[in-house]
Amino acid sequence: MAVTDAPRIVTSRIGFDDSHTLERFLATGGYEGLRKALTMTPEAVAHEVDAASLLGRGGAGFPAGRKWSMLRKNPVSYLVVNGDESEPATFKDHLLVERDPHQLVEGVLIAAYALQVSQVFVFLRGEFALGLERVQAALNDAYAHGAVGEDIFGSGFSVDVVLHPGAGAYICGEETALLESLEGKRGFPRIKPPFFPAAIGLYGEPTVVNNVETMSNLPWIIRHGGAAFAALGEGRSTGTRLFALAGHVRNPGVFEIEMVKTTFADLIHAPVLGGGIPHGRELKAFIPGGVSAPWFGPDQIDLPLGQDEVAAAGSMLGSGSVVVMDDHTCAVRAAWRITKFFSRESCGQCTPCREGSGWLERIMERIETGSGREEDLDLLLDVCDNIAPGLTWPPQQTTICVLGPSIPSSIGSAIQMFRDEFLVHIKEGGCPYG
Amino acid sequence: MADRDAARPGAGQDAAEATVTFTLDGREVTARKGEMLIAAAERAGTFIPRFCYHPRMSSVGVCRMCLVEVSGPRGATLQPSCFIEATEGAVVDTLSDKVKKAQDGVLEFLLVNHPLDCPVCDKGGECPLQDQTLAYGPGESRFVEEKRHFEKPIPVSELVLLDRERCIQCSRCTRFASEVAGEAQIDFIGRGEEIEVNTFPDLPFSSYFSGNTVQICPVGALTAAPYRFAARPWDLDQVESTCTTCAVGCRVAVQSSANRVTRLLGIDSDPVNHGWLCDKGRFAFEAVNDGDRVTEPMVRIDGELTPVTWHEALERVADGLRSAAADGPEGIGFIGGARLTNEGAYAWTKLAKGVLGTDSVDAQLGDGLPAAAVLGLPRATIDQAATAATVVLLAGDLREELPVLYLRLRSRVVGGDLSLVELSPQATASTPFASVSLRYRPGDAAGLARAMVDDTASLPAGTDPAALAEARRLTGSGPVVVVIGRPSLAEDGRLVAEAARILAEARPDCRFLPALRRGNVLGALDMGMAPGVLPGRVDLDDARAWFAREWDTVPERAGRDTVGMLRSAAGPAAGGSGDPDPTVRVRALVLLGADPTGDLPDARLAGEGLDGAEFVVQVASSTAALSTRADVVLPAAEAHERPGTTTNIEGRVTRLGQKLVPPGQAWPDWMIAAELASHLDADLGLDSLHGVWDEVERLAPAYRGITRSVLEAAGGDGVVAPLATSGVGISRRSVPGPLDPIAFPGVESVERQGAPPRAGFAESPTAVTTAAVATGGEGGAADASGREDGGTEGDGPPARPPLLGVPADLGAPRVPPTDSYTSRLVASRRLYDRGAAVAASPALAALVPEPPVRVNPHDLDDLGVAPGGDVLVRTATASLVAPAVADPSLPRKVVAADFNLPLAGGSIADLIDATAPVTELRLETP
Ligand SMILES: Cc1cc2nc3c(=O)[nH]c(=O)nc-3n(C[C@H](O)[C@H](O)[C@H](O)COP(=O)(O)O)c2cc1C
Ligand code: SF4
Ligand code: SF4
Ligand code: SF4
Ligand code: FES
């Protein structure tokens, strides 16, 4: 599928109907990575991950190896796997938990071994009914198989893994809110500093939080070595990455793509990937990394799918979701919808996000439905500025977590790229797209 | 983290305290290590606006009002100053354009959904949102959309209402409930804009501390039913005073308009209440305003109390007392005194003991502890208890009896490193966080105490050896403070005091905090209102010569306590209740703001005693508390109507504020005594309140050195008697307290004598001028105030008498063994009872519960009664039928009920025998 000939790292079993079963897993190299890891020292395992330059796949893109090595200074108590994946148009972890749950479990065990933790929590979005069922089944199989629990594969290493369903709040994907939720509290993000999970995490103990996809890369990395992973991609963006392609393309879906070597143009247009924009329409804009990210226009379509490359251009790869908007899309309505999402999903804890999100939503609604005023554009930007001072990228924030400063991304992009469209809404008293 | 003990005693004085230096708006500032930027800046004179931050609760950093720029590795970023500590070398900017824009933005956001109904909002005029909008906010609103709406208001409890539209989600109320009160009955529900504070379905916020949430809410979202729409803050006048609803002595701002108290607000007194009040203390003022007040002297004529002049009334009293003293002064007894000021208590003691010559004076009503124990055991302060290694609770349920003491201790157990060892016949509110709860049967307190300190002593039946071992371990080392009160009113107080005495003997470094609950009972005892003692914590015999210098007379022998007086008055008619000392019968009783009928645990004795007395005088303020047996009633001023001083459980002396003019012809208590003396052809020598205090300071040894100027200099925190050379008695708040209008909105222009203005807050708490307070402690060495003792000391004897020490013998009665059919009664107290303060406060009166009798589940089973069913409780002389529930915390053969509460089937006071060591009873099916 990939346009380069890079191997499939996390989706190698997806083609099989029974990709989620232990039999298929074992028949296709399952647990080889774990068995190998158990013969290595934990340090050596962590070293391979460091050498792989595996960037976190949950959104922030922090190198997993570095996160772990910071923690090695004080012993880690818990590993927490983030599978909350609730952002609109983001659905790549969804695929992994449903189609290759054993791979996730194996990755989790490798990480647990490297970090020498004895307790892991896997937090999955509550709506992932099938995913929850399959990960639970995979865990049960793994216990029966001797891969989890006491004395894994006779190595003397023991670890327990608990699967925890989320209760339907997007904010619980934010790692500190997730920890609160795991502790049985309201999903309110914690303030960093000082509540970096690495320092004061679950139950106040040092904790590693990693994304489902991050974990799913580990079996391959251990089997083939960090260097083989680092040989793929370019610069800091190594290996392959899953992209959830959504919006106005012929083939929406999840694609595993070698990083940097592929461009957004490839992803959107290549016949084996997005297959282009249907109905003979033109590209109007695309969101490169989930609805928290600033938008790109057609002029940026040749940017490579690399973390630093996209960052340098003023946005992010974020959650690995690429949303394509064709030229029949109303930019105001698109930004309004995204704002509405954030306003509903704000945890309500801190003032700028709680009140700002609702206010921005109301202003956007007014403009879209024909009651806009010209001064609303400056007002929108200034309200955004009070959430994310300076409207820089990456954003500064007056809020506790980065959900707040994610709100200005789409509003700011829409105004900056499509100011005229706003003015038409205002002058004509409604949406020109009907 | 719970309620913060911002300053552990001594912490501030510690010169070696770790500090950090950082740059604040361009100048170097020193902060304590671990101190939050917002607090460090405030001490340095820079006020950073805030909403959610509260100096007495953990920081949450949610409102974002306190953002400041802090330079770090990635340049300056906006950080919540309430949530990050001052660190060495940090560069902090509180005035930058970025900070100003953020403040402006946060305020605009807060106002987006805030209804602008300030004209009808209780908080209007003292609202941190209004005030900070004026100071830091945008000039105009850019919000043109529809605001969020909620149904308003909703009651979250009987006392507190919530307007969710006004809420700014600061979480002060929810944090107070969960952290400080430990009653997480209100919390947020929903998210985003729809987030709201609410109770759990059908579970009201039924906390004794709910009023605090109203006080600390930075907007008008939470309002108190008794105050809602009652006044505009700018119409209120305020004085600072001390709550005398119980003996904790919380500092309060009493606010009034048009000679009516409108509300009470807590003041942050660092050694005492940290700004918190209980709802009883906060709302009982209604009794002063609206309770039916006694406004004129009255004399009973033809069975009816009839108004007369003061002169007539006092003549009548003088005649009555004279004839009662015909056989000797002990024919007169004085009961009560806890409602008096210290000055009033001293004046009445002087009248009784120094003019009439009777020692039968007792401020306690059979519900307290022997004065020799209370006054003689080494006293602890609340801070000492809070910072001890272990507190032993040998008292009633503190949440019911001394609510804010409960908060102070709880916060140190839950959020600190204090261990609690509870000795109690039944579970209390403290049981869930106690390290050990040792259950005992009434009568076994002393035996249990003995077993704690002596591993060869025999264990009282039913004692859990493992729990005892743990209790021994926890009390074996480190500072130990024993809170000593009355776990049961149906167990002789001497038995509990004996337990304390045993602990004091075995652990001489142990300190004691008396859990006596009546308002100024400790002050009254200090002023000599108990048999066998004289003012200033001295023994009658030791101090006779000292007082004889100045008083007309001094009693020749120790008098009777309240139970003794009533037994004597009841006379031979009181079958069985004979007087242990029948030489002079009590014929006249003077009731000082007390009525044994409601207050004495033994209702029968109270009735017989009053009936048997030939002459009863009652000094009263509320008609609700009038005795039907009073022959003369003298109207007295109430709390908030009289200045003076009061003394709390620690011995802390603070000044009361007068806010109201007493109604009608009511007089201050000390003045009634002085006038009465003149009608007895004596001169009490007390002609002004100040004069009374000067005499107290001069004569009462424990109060030596506590001059008016020392009290004034000490401000709201007062001083602890006796003054000690170490200055322990004086602690100075080291956190921004009452002056912080955001922490305690509405408390204004608080009396802070001697405290430096905020801008100049000293780095470490300075003691009040050492010279003013550092007098010799016990026994008194040099009088550093420089005042000579009128030369008397130099003239030789009589010498200043020594303060009472640990009593050698309390005369604790022997507890007879029981047979297997007999149970023992536990009578406990509830905060809201049928007492006058609650009865006359409509808001509280509605909250008086009607709890059933509680029985060990096995005992109930044996009886064949289902929980909730009726049982027959029978003592030797009385019986009642009442519903019973199973209480697994009770030992076998222990039956518990609440005193002075409605009980279907009668009153538990009908069963209690105050003359027996324990009240024994049988449990039967009705
Ligand atoms: C509002 C918000 C939502 C997030 N949701 C997710 C999520 O659903 N899944 C996820 O892995 N990370 C999510 N993150 C990122 C996590 O906080 C965290 O960075 C990540 O789980 C770390 O894993 P990684 O290092 O493997 O990427 C979210 C962050 C924010 C601010
Ligand atoms: S930024 Fe939004 S989601 Fe994050 S803590 Fe604040 S209110 Fe909650
Ligand atoms: S009700 Fe008041 S104290 Fe409670 S969260 Fe709202 S504003 Fe804060
Ligand atoms: S605890 Fe006691 S002193 Fe404090 S407010 Fe309550 S009644 Fe008053
Ligand atoms: S965030 Fe600091 S005061 Fe609210």
Side-chain angles (χ1 to χ4, degrees), chain A residues 186 346 355 362 366 385-386, chain B residues 101 113 145 190 192-193:
Chain A
R186 292 178 62 80
S346 160
E355 306 294 343
R362 286 180 179 81
R366 261 197 305 109
D385 185 83
N386 284 337
Chain B
K101 177 136 201 306
N113 275 309
E145 288 81 5
E193 254 191 4

Side-chain angles (χ1 to χ4, degrees), chain B residues 814-868:
Chain B
R814 223 183 63 79
V815 185
T818 45
D819 63 43
S820 58
Y821 300 104
T822 309
S823 293
R824 285 183 184 163
L825 179 65
V826 172
S828 42
R829 288 192 180 275
R830 294 286 189 101
L831 187 62
Y832 303 139
D833 60 11
R834 285 189 297 200
V838 173
S841 304
L844 300 177
L847 299 173
V848 174
E850 193 176 321
V853 165
R854 302 181 294 277
V855 180
N856 176 288
H858 300 292
D859 292 349
L860 204 56
D861 244 19
D862 290 353
L863 214 62
V865 172

Side-chain angles (χ1 to χ4, degrees), chain B residues 906-926:
Chain B
S907 163
I908 205 65
D910 295 338
L911 300 187
I912 299 173
D913 180 357
T915 63
V918 292
T919 295
E920 308 204 318
L921 48 82
R922 298 229 171 169
L923 210 51
E924 295 165 14
T925 43

Side-chain angles (χ1 to χ4, degrees), chain B residues 520-788:
Chain B
N520 191 30
V521 65
L522 275 309
L525 294 180
D526 277 358
M527 294 302 117
M529 301 198 84
V533 299
L534 286 173
R537 299 191 198 163
V538 288
D539 176 75
L540 173 65
D541 294 328
D542 291 350
R544 183 171 291 109
W546 171 262
F547 278 92
R549 284 186 322 168
E550 302 220 13
W551 287 8
D552 292 352
T553 181
V554 179
E556 271 157 31
R557 52 180 186 151
R560 301 179 172 99
D561 65 6
T562 293
V563 169
M565 285 183 251
L566 289 167
R567 287 176 78 177
S568 169
S577 305
D579 190 330
D581 171 18
T583 40
V584 181
R585 212 189 118 214
V586 171
R587 292 161 59 183
L589 285 173
V590 180
L591 309 179
L592 297 170
D595 178 9
T597 325
D599 295 338
L600 194 85
D602 181 337
R604 196 169 60 103
L605 176 61
E608 287 170 355
L610 289 173
D611 285 346
E614 289 161 15
F615 183 58
V616 177
V617 181
Q618 192 178 19
V619 177
S621 55
S622 153
T623 53
L626 277 190
S627 169
T628 52
R629 276 290 297 111
D631 295 297
V632 183
V633 172
L634 304 176
E638 252 294 352
H640 317 312
E641 294 167 355
R642 47 179 196 188
T645 60
T646 186
T647 300
N648 80 345
I649 50 174
E650 308 165 281
R652 181 179 305 279
V653 186
T654 53
R655 299 191 303 165
L656 298 165
Q658 179 182 358
K659 195 70 212 71
L660 308 179
V661 179
Q665 301 178 44
W667 284 355
D669 36 32
W670 71 269
M671 202 186 281
I672 302 176
E675 284 299 314
L676 179 54
S678 71
H679 284 262
L680 287 161
D681 305 321
D683 180 2
L684 218 44
L686 304 172
D687 42 25
S688 73
L689 186 76
H690 287 166
V692 181
W693 190 255
D694 292 345
E695 182 164 322
V696 168
E697 192 274 332
R698 189 173 74 244
L699 289 185
Y703 281 63
R704 188 169 183 228
I706 306 180
T707 59
R708 282 186 280 130
S709 57
V710 163
L711 275 178
E712 195 168 321
D717 293 350
V719 291
V720 174
L723 293 180
T725 30
S726 65
V728 151
I730 301 207
S731 85
R732 168 59 42 71
R733 59 173 69 87
S734 58
V735 291
L739 263 192
D740 174 356
I742 314 297
F744 295 101
V747 180
E748 302 217 25
S749 53
V750 160
E751 181 186 66
R752 281 166 67 86
Q753 294 94 333
R758 181 168 62 207
F761 245 108
E763 176 46 37
S764 57
T766 42
V768 170
T769 15
T770 331
V773 296
T775 68
E778 309 179 8
D783 188 335
S785 69
R787 177 180 47 71
E788 282 303 311

Side-chain angles (χ1 to χ4, degrees), chain B residues 54 87 205 303 512 645 777 813 815 870:
Chain B
H54 193 282
T87 48
F205 179 35
F512 295 80
T645 60
V815 185
D870 279 352

